[in-house]
């Protein structure tokens, strides 16, 4: 069956360090992979998108990698800040589809 | 531009009652989606409209759920009669149709929390 796996345990890191979140998937052939941020009581907010033929994408302090052989995406936040504390969701979009399928998300807590 | 607006933000009803959730997408966004998050689980797809047409309703749990999108503008999701397992947060999202499948960035509303007692 199709699965999207994100670490269910919260990631606790110290301010200034790099946070790395993982998204693994099985039985999918995504054309795109998206990362969203969700704060309590709010809807997810889009951060970055990476296509299947791209290895890496950057935006300011954010970096996403996509390895279709390992079936894995890594999401990095460099020089993390307490304001980066949130739940981060990955979402896969199959080729020919408009519909993102979401993982459960990983909670990131950045300590001052 | 105004974001995606959902109403109500929280609804508490008794089992067997009816609830209608409303979503106003971003103006000009043809695609409208409903998702649901049940406690402790992932956000799950319910259905997808393109303008006023249902493109995909494969995620709708059963026939107690009815979604409509009048004139391709706002959408409603009605649950009738509500059951305990319907409790959760219902998210609406919208996106432009840029003609390229997958390059589809969703803008979400804040969600409507439904509690069925």
């Amino acid at each position: 069956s199709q699965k999207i796996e994100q670490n269910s345990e919260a990631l606790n890191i110290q301010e200034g360090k790099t946070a790395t979140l993982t998204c693994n998937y099985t039985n999918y052939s995504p054309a795109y992979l998206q990362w969203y941020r969700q704060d309590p009581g709010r809807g997810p907010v889009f951060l970055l998108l990476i296509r299947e033929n791209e290895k890496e994408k950057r935006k300011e302090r954010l970096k996403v990698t996509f390895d279709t052989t390992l079936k894995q995406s890594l999401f990095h936040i460099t020089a993390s800040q307490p304001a980066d504390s949130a739940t981060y969701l990955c979402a896969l979009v199959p080729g020919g589809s408009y519909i993102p399928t979401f993982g459960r998300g990983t909670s990131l807590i950045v300590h001052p | 531009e105004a974001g995606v607006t959902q109403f109500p933000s929280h609804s508490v009803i008794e089992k067997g009652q009816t609830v209608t959730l409303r979503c106003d997408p971003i103006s000009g966004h043809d695609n409208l989606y409903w998702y649901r998050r049940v406690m402790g689980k992932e956000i799950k797809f319910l259905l997808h409209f393109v303008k006023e047409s249902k493109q995909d309703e494969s995620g709708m749990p059963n026939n107690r759920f009815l979604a409509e999108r009048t004139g391709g503008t706002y959408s409603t999701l009605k649950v009738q009669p509500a059951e305990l397992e319907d409790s959760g947060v219902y998210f609406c999202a919208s996106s432009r149709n840029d003609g390229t499948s997958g390059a589809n960035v969703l803008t979400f509303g804040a969600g409507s929390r439904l509690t069925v007692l």
Side-chain angles (χ1 to χ4, degrees):
Chain A
S1 63
Q2 294 179 320
K3 271 190 191 176
I4 302 171
E5 293 181 352
Q6 294 186 257
N7 198 337
S8 57
E9 286 184 21
L11 176 64
N12 285 272
I13 64 167
Q14 211 59 36
E15 182 176 10
K17 300 291 187 187
T18 296
T20 299
L21 305 173
T22 305
C23 176
N24 295 302
Y25 59 92
T26 53
N27 296 322
Y28 273 105
S29 296
Y32 298 84
L33 191 145
Q34 302 173 339
W35 282 88
Y36 289 77
R37 168 186 173 140
Q38 186 173 21
D39 291 281
R42 306 269 188 128
V45 174
F46 172 78
L47 296 174
L48 276 173
L49 175 153
I50 188 165
R51 293 174 171 78
E52 62 178 332
N53 59 354
E54 296 176 320
K55 296 291 184 191
E56 183 179 298
K57 214 52 170 309
R58 290 176 187 259
K59 179 182 174 184
E60 297 170 354
R61 294 185 296 112
L62 308 181
K63 184 178 88 171
V64 173
T65 63
F66 194 10
D67 189 327
T68 54
T69 303
L70 288 179
K71 296 187 185 302
Q72 180 181 78
S73 175
L74 299 178
F75 178 80
H76 306 272
I77 305 175
T78 57
S80 59
Q81 303 164 1
D84 295 327
S85 299
T87 296
Y88 291 85
L89 306 163
C90 72
L92 275 61
V93 184
S97 168
Y98 279 96
I99 300 169
T101 301
F102 286 84
R104 284 196 193 190
T106 298
S107 175
L108 171 67
I109 302 167
V110 182
H111 299 275
Chain B
E1 63 184 359
V4 176
T5 306
Q6 292 189 244
F7 183 83
S9 57
H10 192 187
S11 182
V12 181
I13 61 173
E14 304 240 331
K15 175 183 167 179
Q17 290 185 320
T18 298
V19 64
T20 300
L21 310 177
R22 173 172 169 143
C23 169
D24 286 81
I26 292 173
S27 177
H29 280 194
D30 289 340
N31 292 293
L32 187 148
Y33 307 79
W34 284 98
Y35 283 82
R36 175 174 74 173
R37 184 167 203 155
V38 171
M39 180 87 75
K41 304 236 174 152
E42 69 274 16
I43 296 174
K44 289 200 88 168
F45 167 76
L46 296 179
L47 89 160
H48 170 216
F49 284 98
V50 176
K51 297 184 181 176
E52 67 277 5
S53 300
K54 290 178 190 173
Q55 286 293 113
D56 185 341
E57 49 185 331
S58 61
M60 293 288 262
N62 50 60
N63 59 9
R64 295 186 294 102
F65 289 74
L66 175 64
E68 294 177 324
R69 190 177 182 191
T70 308
T73 56
Y74 70 92
S75 174
T76 57
L77 179 64
K78 183 194 286 191
V79 185
Q80 178 183 33
E83 298 288 343
L84 299 178
E85 65 264 24
D86 300 333
S87 295
V89 182
Y90 290 77
F91 290 103
C92 174
S94 70
S95 70
R96 292 184 192 282
N97 183 347
D98 68 355
T100 305
S101 67
N104 198 22
V105 174
L106 271 58
T107 302
F108 280 83
S112 291
R113 179 175 296 278
L114 173 63
T115 303
V116 183
L117 302 175

